[in-house]
Amino acid sequence: MPAPDLVAAELTLTGRITTASNATFVGSIGDTTVVYKPIAGEKPLWDFPDGVLAHREVSAYLVSEVLGWNVVPRTWLRDGPLGEGMVQLWQETDPDQNAVDLVASDDVPETGWKHVLEGQDETGRMVALIHEDSPALRRMAVFDVVVNNADRKGDHILAMTDGHRHGVDHGLTFHRDHKLRTVLWGWLGDALTAEELEGIDRVSAGLDGELGRNLADLLSAGEIASLAARCARLRSAGRFPAPHGQMSAVPWPLF
């Protein structure tokens, strides 16, 4: 049986993800399971324009594809039962893997993990936010800087059985102003690898070609110019940036 036309074939809703801040549904297109976020279900935000979160999710996928690291699962715009929205291929995660974790401060692993910050839990116990030290997660951290991700929570990182890590929930991206809020600060100040620099170069070059033309239908000219400037700054610095500005460097909640 041929695969269904993921853009035109009927999208049937099968459930709702009630923990999401915006209307988010699980659905199916033929035998393909997808996530569907209708634009009509997006809540207004004080710092982002209304009705654009789905466009930013698709833009994040396009940048991910040009980077070549498969950070974002396939994502596209299409009509659905509740109107036009973002549709993304569902990913089955490995329940035995966690790329980001909270552990007791005296129980941080000596190798394989990066320490981000410490604080107290609801009982007053000192805990540490940590994330794994892996190439896949490093690439996601670079991606987040490029797209100016304002909401990289721990639960927005999907741990796959084969060790790959997908990032999801990219509605709060591509703002013209600095908005980077992430749990992936473990490589702060570290030099970027040649592979990571080459990925940034592909995005910069793509903005003058097909990527730029595709993003023009989804983002404002100012947002695309800011994306180009971020790539140039990151490429010039050659290392992971530090937090700056008055806003929090991590999202809340962390997961």
Side-chain angles (χ1 to χ4, degrees):
M1 171 180 276
D5 184 335
L6 296 178
V7 175
E10 182 180 7
L11 168 57
T12 302
L13 302 187
T14 57
R16 181 166 186 171
I17 300 175
T18 57
T19 55
S21 56
N22 294 292
T24 304
F25 300 89
V26 178
S28 61
I29 304 173
D31 294 330
T32 302
T33 303
V34 298
V35 175
Y36 165 57
K37 299 181 182 180
I39 293 173
E42 296 178 3
K43 295 180 179 178
L45 299 168
W46 69 270
D47 54 347
F48 281 82
D50 293 343
V52 298
L53 303 188
H55 296 76
R56 294 169 194 273
E57 296 245 28
V58 176
S59 298
Y61 167 71
L62 295 176
V63 170
S64 169
E65 286 295 283
V66 172
L67 282 167
W69 301 334
N70 191 28
V71 174
V72 183
R74 181 177 174 185
T75 309
W76 63 101
L77 284 175
R78 60 155 289 169
D79 196 23
L82 300 174
E84 185 179 46
M86 180 279 284
V87 177
Q88 186 174 81
L89 294 182
W90 176 265
Q91 305 297 312
E92 288 293 342
T93 60
D94 185 345
D96 295 326
Q97 296 188 45
N98 290 306
V100 182
D101 205 355
L102 279 175
V103 299
S105 292
D106 57 2
D107 198 28
V108 176
E110 293 185 5
T111 60
W113 292 80
K114 291 289 190 178
H115 180 280
V116 178
L117 56 81
E118 290 190 351
Q120 290 184 331
D121 67 9
E122 64 275 8
T123 68
R125 180 185 65 150
M126 292 301 297
V127 295
L129 175 68
I130 62 174
H131 63 69
E132 65 183 17
D133 184 9
S134 68
L137 212 58
R138 273 185 63 113
R139 290 190 289 267
M140 189 181 300
V142 174
F143 164 82
D144 284 342
V145 177
V146 169
V147 303
N148 199 17
N149 190 355
D151 197 33
R152 175 62 72 206
K153 294 182 172 70
D155 287 345
H156 295 175
I157 300 168
L158 307 185
M160 311 307 292
T161 302
D162 62 0
H164 187 69
R165 300 322 185 215
H166 280 303
V168 296
D169 289 317
H170 296 118
L172 301 186
T173 49
F174 298 103
H175 202 287
R176 293 178 62 176
D177 299 331
H178 172 73
K179 292 283 186 178
L180 184 62
R181 289 189 293 263
T182 175
V183 296
L184 302 180
W185 286 112
W187 299 284
L188 189 156
D190 286 3
L192 298 172
T193 66
E195 178 195 15
E196 291 159 354
L197 292 170
E198 289 167 1
I200 298 166
D201 289 342
R202 286 192 291 272
V203 174
S204 294
L207 291 175
D208 292 326
E210 183 178 5
L211 175 62
R213 292 190 293 272
N214 290 335
L215 291 179
D217 294 329
L218 301 165
L219 302 173
S220 72
E223 289 163 346
I224 296 172
S226 293
L227 168 59
R230 284 193 301 274
C231 289
R233 287 194 300 269
L234 187 58
R235 186 62 172 84
S236 176
R239 59 187 62 251
F240 284 93
H244 67 271
Q246 299 300 311
M247 54 175 269
S248 171
V250 295
W252 187 259
L254 295 172
F255 291 87

